[in-house]
Amino acid sequence: MSINRLNRNAKISGVAGWLPDYVLTNEELSRMVETSDDWITTRTGIKERRILKDPSKATSDMGANALNKLLNKCNVGADEIDLIICATVTPDMLFPSTACLIADKVGAKNAFGFDLSAACSAFIFALDCASKYISSGQYNKVVVIGADKMSSIVDYNDRQTCVIFGDGAAAVLLEPDDECATGVIDSILKIDGAGGDYLKMIAGGSLNPASLDSVKMGHHFIYQDGKTVFKFAVTKMADVAEQIMKKNNLSGEDVDWLVPHQANLRIIDATANRMNIDSEKVMVNIHKYGNTTAATIPLCLADWEDKLNKGDNLILAAFGGGFTWGAVYLKWSY
Ligand code: UT7
């Protein structure tokens, strides 16, 4: 195989999602913390989220389930995969990487792989990265998995965060499109570490290793300054979506689908407004799954797969902890 053949796109040739069975409703949460279905619905758009209850299962199990489903669907053997990129903020453990664990679980004996950490933007960062490996000519079958067991880092006494997050996973298969007719066309990706203090997990890393104190102080849970994160998310996600449209001469009418990260329905609506696109063209499943972090965008693709047509213009947009944010322009391939 030749390396550095720069004349091919990376197209998505399949997508599959996997969600745990347990449904945590707003009503059940209202019995756990001081909140209400009305507050959660009006402030976030969320009605229910899925939770992985089995304590022996983790992010890699959800990712492996999504990947097995994808491989069956696409009639591709696990040993044919060249590369697995797992986008996650809830790896099973600090190492080995979740990609290694998934490769082992599905039997991807010939794959290279790694995890990509960019919180809620991780899937689009990973998709862009995967597309570069394909367009360089280095690999032909690349899998990008967005998977997060958010329930493992959520404090169910903190009503600011526990109402938002859920668990889930989804995987896409990328292959070359030698005609460059479809696939990943463009991306604008950003980070700003000055935002780090507003959304983080304080302990468990090399700065604050796990200790009795860190556990006592709840530093292994998500800390979020929701108001500040909201303020940045609502402008940055819309900015970047608008920029990628302008860069590619796309009007609101040219865009067939907005595939937004599902953090808050108000952020999604603001982005769609700035892009000047109708609400029927916006993928929204936040009411069913909440914020599954790296899994939101591929879960949308899985839910909408039957409605998509070859050549459809999709704008994927996300914002997350870091801060990280970005947009990808993708032409649907099948
Ligand atoms: O995906 C990664 C990036 N994350 C995001 O994009 C999340 C961005 N942030 C948000 O989505 C929103 O800020 C939240 C959903 C987290 C919070 O919504 P908000 O409209 O910003 O509420 P707030 O934090 O301004 O709080 C308003 C009030 C407060 O009460 P007071 O001070 O007005 O009396 C809160 O204590 O709502 C209270 N509150 C709640 N009440 C009932 C906060 N959480 C809850 C709750 N139930 N779950």
Side-chain angles (χ1 to χ4, degrees):
M1 190 200 310
S2 69
I3 304 289
N4 291 330
R5 261 181 51 203
L6 295 170
N7 59 341
R8 60 186 203 173
N9 278 11
K11 66 175 183 184
I12 290 185
S13 45
V15 56
W18 188 88
L19 290 148
D21 291 333
Y22 190 83
V23 177
L24 177 59
T25 61
N26 289 350
E27 287 72 21
E28 188 177 347
L29 272 169
S30 308
R31 293 191 288 275
M32 294 158 64
V33 287
E34 202 184 329
T35 189
S36 64
D37 174 49
D38 183 53
W39 192 96
I40 303 169
T41 307
T42 50
R43 298 290 182 122
T44 70
I46 301 167
K47 284 290 194 188
E48 49 192 45
R49 65 292 289 143
R50 301 298 186 91
I51 303 295
L52 187 62
K53 283 281 190 184
D54 182 345
S56 71
K57 300 287 183 211
T59 298
S60 70
D61 297 291
M62 297 196 296
N65 288 341
L67 180 52
N68 274 327
K69 222 168 135 182
L70 176 70
L71 295 175
N72 273 335
K73 209 169 135 178
C74 298
N75 209 14
V76 167
D79 54 356
E80 293 178 64
I81 304 170
D82 298 312
L83 167 62
I84 297 173
I85 306 178
C86 182
T88 188
V89 78
T90 52
D92 290 23
M93 50 194 101
L94 283 179
F95 66 91
S97 72
T98 313
C100 285
L101 300 173
I102 292 173
D104 185 51
K105 282 176 181 164
V106 304
K109 300 268 181 237
N110 301 309
F112 156 57
F114 56 89
D115 288 3
L116 193 149
S117 170
C120 299
S121 308
F123 180 79
I124 61 167
F125 283 24
L127 184 66
D128 182 67
C129 182
S131 89
K132 263 65 179 187
Y133 273 106
I134 288 199
S135 52
S136 74
Q138 194 167 1
Y139 295 126
N140 288 322
K141 284 192 171 29
V142 178
V143 165
V144 177
I145 301 166
D148 270 305
K149 184 183 170 184
M150 296 308 291
S151 61
S152 66
I153 55 168
V154 162
D155 178 357
Y156 285 94
N157 295 308
D158 175 10
R159 66 178 182 172
Q160 282 244 19
T161 50
C162 74
V163 301
I164 301 172
F165 292 102
D167 302 338
V172 299
L173 175 66
L174 288 154
E175 292 181 292
D177 177 352
D178 288 314
E179 288 155 24
C180 294
T182 64
V184 177
I185 309 287
D186 197 9
S187 63
I188 303 176
L189 306 173
K190 307 267 187 188
I191 64 168
D192 180 358
D197 272 345
Y198 304 110
L199 180 50
K200 62 184 173 184
M201 194 168 99
I202 295 165
S206 57
L207 180 62
N208 299 299
S211 65
L212 284 176
D213 266 357
S214 71
V215 172
K216 226 185 281 168
M217 290 164 81
H219 285 173
H220 297 272
F221 292 127
I222 299 167
Y223 165 81
Q224 176 172 261
D225 173 347
K227 251 190 199 333
T228 306
V229 177
F230 184 93
K231 219 166 59 192
F232 276 90
V234 85
T235 47
K236 296 292 185 191
M237 204 162 112
D239 283 351
V240 84
E242 218 179 18
Q243 281 163 18
I244 205 161
M245 286 170 69
K246 206 165 169 191
K247 194 170 160 215
N248 291 279
N249 293 318
L250 296 170
S251 69
E253 280 188 8
D254 298 325
V255 175
D256 296 293
W257 297 99
L258 167 63
V259 194
H261 169 53
Q262 313 279 307
N264 188 315
L265 190 56
R266 292 181 288 148
I267 299 172
I268 296 172
D269 288 345
T271 305
N273 278 341
R274 279 271 293 284
M275 293 169 72
N276 203 17
I277 72 167
D278 299 337
S279 56
E280 314 88 72
K281 299 200 291 188
V282 183
M283 295 187 191
V284 176
N285 56 17
I286 193 172
H287 52 292
K288 295 192 289 182
Y289 314 137
N291 183 350
T292 53
T293 304
T296 60
I297 289 180
L299 278 171
C300 279
L301 295 176
D303 276 3
W304 265 263
E305 187 186 23
D306 291 345
K307 294 197 178 77
L308 298 174
N309 294 304
K310 187 172 179 178
D312 277 358
N313 288 321
L314 275 60
I315 301 291
L316 283 46
F319 183 91
F323 294 137
T324 58
W325 69 102
V328 169
Y329 170 28
L330 174 78
K331 257 190 190 294
W332 197 248
S333 304
Y334 60 100

